[in-house]
Amino acid sequence: QMPNIRGTERPPPRPGYLASDKKQSKAGENDADGNDVGTTDRNASDEADGNDADDILALAASCNVPIDIDEDTFIIDGPAHLRSVHDLVTAPIQQRKFDTALEIFDKLLKGLMIPNNSKLNHVVGATHHNIGIIQCCQGDYASALRSFQDAVMVRTKCLPINHPDTAVSYMRKGMAEFALQKFEASLASFHRALESAPTNNATRAKILTNIGVTHFCKNNLAEALKVFTFALEIQRQWLDGQIRRESIVFDSSVTLGNMGIVYLARADYDLAFYVYEEACLLLTSSFRKDHDIVLSSLAHLAISKAKNEDYAKSIKLFQGILRSQQSRFGTNGPQVIETTGIIGYLYIKSVDFHAALKFLHQVRNWQTKNLDADHTSRKMTDDTIQAIEKCLQGSASVWV
């Protein structure tokens, strides 16, 4: 699923570790100072590659995966070998050793790409898809996009029309395009996935949510709200069933939260509060009251009240969030200080400067201990405190 919309501004792509643009130096190449750097870098790279290869061989031996040493590939003769490769790749993924996992999938792909092996074409498609997912985890969205394109191409040829696996690859392709801010292409991929998604299925609701987020990024608020509503209608059918899964509760709350942010962007604060309140009620039915997603939903609820200039209610909600954060993170946690600053700001908006100073002094004490002297946040806090103190002394305007 796409990242949640977190604010009224356009949400950035999910952050990740971007692949380096630097090429590996070769022997005889010089750095900026004229030093020969190629040999050392190459030796270090070769040593690392050798260690990775040894690790993969050891893992393969433990999982009984046959290897063609000459071709540097896995030999895949049946389902048992595929299950072994699955077991083999699980460990490095769990340890977030994504380069090793990619090496394993590459060897699997080479083993599958042999003549007259059409019976395993669906596995080729699945391997391309899995490679794309790992590349997304690395933040290499351009490479991930190429992998998902390969997955779509293979799955379209070897699977029946509108097969669910093809829909999932289209959806992942759209997510990679979204991360690269190719919104038109992303919408096209999501709509293609929607054609293959089963009616009233949870996956269909997720695709609709992704379409809504993309429309929001294009500032098409009316269309975004329409699509979010369709997604929620599907999710409500699952919520009203005999079994209420946490994943459905979470997905529904995300949809409601996204609707709330659209309402905030349209300055419809009462409806924003309504959908955020429903999201909170849903989440507290399945998650602890101090869970991060519950606190995030409460914060949106408080923001909708602040936007509607109901500062007293907003402050009360943020104070409840603050108590939960203090019990989890202590009084000096960054989350606690951020909420403390928000409460101070809301007291300024409600023209209760004495209460505002109390909270802003706590923020400044934390910033003094944890931020550099020239940090922008420290200057902003100091300037705000000085402006409030001048107001209280009657030597400045009450506007802060």
Side-chain angles (χ1 to χ4, degrees):
Q1 188 171 349
M2 297 293 288
N4 303 351
I5 301 176
R6 295 298 186 188
T8 54
E9 70 281 350
R10 291 184 176 183
R14 185 185 297 274
Y17 298 101
L18 299 179
S20 174
D21 292 328
K22 295 181 179 179
K23 296 182 179 179
Q24 181 66 47
S25 300
K26 298 179 180 179
E29 290 185 349
N30 298 331
D31 63 10
D33 297 324
N35 299 318
D36 186 347
V37 297
T39 304
T40 303
D41 288 349
R42 185 186 63 186
N43 291 342
S45 176
D46 290 345
E47 183 178 353
D49 291 343
N51 291 336
D52 287 343
D54 291 343
D55 290 342
I56 293 173
L57 287 172
L59 284 169
S62 65
C63 295
N64 298 319
V65 183
I67 296 179
D68 186 328
I69 300 297
D70 293 331
E71 299 294 334
D72 193 26
T73 65
F74 293 132
I75 301 173
I76 306 299
D77 283 337
H81 291 161
L82 289 173
R83 285 194 296 270
S84 294
V85 173
H86 177 272
D87 295 338
L88 175 64
V89 79
T90 299
I93 290 177
Q94 290 176 339
Q95 297 169 12
R96 301 188 67 82
K97 295 181 177 180
F98 296 129
D99 287 335
T100 301
L102 288 175
E103 285 282 344
I104 292 171
F105 277 127
D106 184 60
K107 293 179 187 295
L108 172 60
L109 203 56
K110 290 178 181 177
L112 294 169
M113 301 295 286
I114 58 176
N116 303 320
N117 199 24
S118 58
K119 291 183 179 180
L120 294 178
N121 278 346
H122 65 287
V123 182
V124 174
T127 304
H128 282 300
H129 183 93
N130 290 336
I131 289 172
I133 291 176
I134 293 176
Q135 289 165 334
C136 280
C137 292
Q138 293 179 307
D140 188 358
Y141 300 113
S143 296
L145 177 57
R146 290 191 291 270
S147 295
F148 292 131
Q149 287 171 335
D150 290 339
V152 165
M153 182 179 65
V154 173
R155 285 178 160 177
T156 301
K157 291 180 178 179
C158 70
L159 296 177
I161 297 175
N162 294 336
H163 194 280
D165 287 352
T166 308
V168 171
S169 289
Y170 268 116
M171 185 171 72
R172 290 288 185 175
K173 175 175 174 283
M175 293 173 69
E177 289 162 339
F178 177 90
L180 295 169
Q181 301 188 35
K182 298 180 178 180
F183 298 131
E184 290 295 338
S186 179
L187 278 177
S189 295
F190 289 143
H191 280 291
R192 183 63 185 82
L194 203 61
E195 295 174 7
S196 304
T199 306
N200 297 332
N201 182 274
T203 300
R204 187 178 188 85
K206 288 183 179 182
I207 297 171
L208 285 169
T209 299
N210 293 345
I211 291 173
V213 171
T214 310
H215 278 301
F216 181 87
C217 290
K218 295 179 65 181
N219 204 32
N220 191 350
L221 302 183
E223 190 64 25
L225 189 59
K226 176 183 175 181
V227 177
F228 287 142
T229 303
F230 288 152
L232 188 61
E233 288 174 356
I234 295 173
Q235 290 163 339
R236 285 195 190 282
Q237 298 177 31
W238 292 83
L239 288 173
D240 296 337
Q242 295 181 348
I243 300 176
R244 178 180 284 193
R245 293 184 297 172
E246 287 187 355
S247 59
I248 294 294
V249 170
F250 176 74
D251 289 344
S252 302
S253 71
V254 168
T255 304
L256 285 165
N258 288 340
M259 292 173 68
I261 287 184
V262 175
Y263 284 129
L264 286 179
R266 295 172 58 173
D268 196 341
Y269 304 127
D270 289 332
L271 278 175
F273 181 84
Y274 173 78
V275 294
Y276 281 136
E277 187 175 41
E278 185 178 355
C280 284
L281 291 173
L282 265 179
L283 290 170
T284 52
S285 69
S286 296
F287 297 92
R288 331 185 290 273
K289 292 184 178 180
D290 64 345
H291 195 285
D292 286 340
I293 60 174
V294 175
L295 296 180
S296 176
S297 188
L298 282 171
H300 282 118
L301 194 66
I303 289 170
S304 66
K305 281 296 182 183
K307 289 281 189 178
N308 212 18
E309 298 186 358
D310 187 352
Y311 300 120
K313 181 64 174 178
S314 182
I315 288 171
K316 186 176 180 180
L317 288 167
F318 272 117
Q319 285 175 333
I321 294 171
L322 183 64
R323 287 192 294 271
S324 295
Q325 290 174 331
Q326 287 173 335
S327 65
R328 284 184 60 190
F329 308 114
T331 57
N332 290 319
Q335 304 92 332
V336 172
I337 300 305
E338 182 179 0
T339 304
T340 301
I342 292 173
I343 294 173
Y345 170 77
L346 291 173
Y347 273 122
I348 294 173
K349 296 292 288 184
S350 58
V351 201
D352 187 345
F353 294 147
H354 289 287
L357 278 179
K358 173 186 173 183
F359 285 90
L360 291 178
H361 278 302
Q362 293 178 35
V363 173
R364 184 169 67 177
N365 290 339
W366 184 90
Q367 290 175 338
T368 301
K369 295 177 182 177
N370 295 277
L371 300 180
D372 295 333
D374 59 348
H375 197 283
T376 304
S377 296
R378 286 186 61 172
K379 185 178 185 306
M380 292 176 63
T381 304
D382 288 338
D383 290 346
T384 303
I385 290 174
Q386 290 175 14
I388 293 174
E389 289 174 342
K390 288 181 180 179
C391 291
L392 293 174
Q393 294 167 5
S395 60
S397 167
V398 295
W399 179 259
V400 178

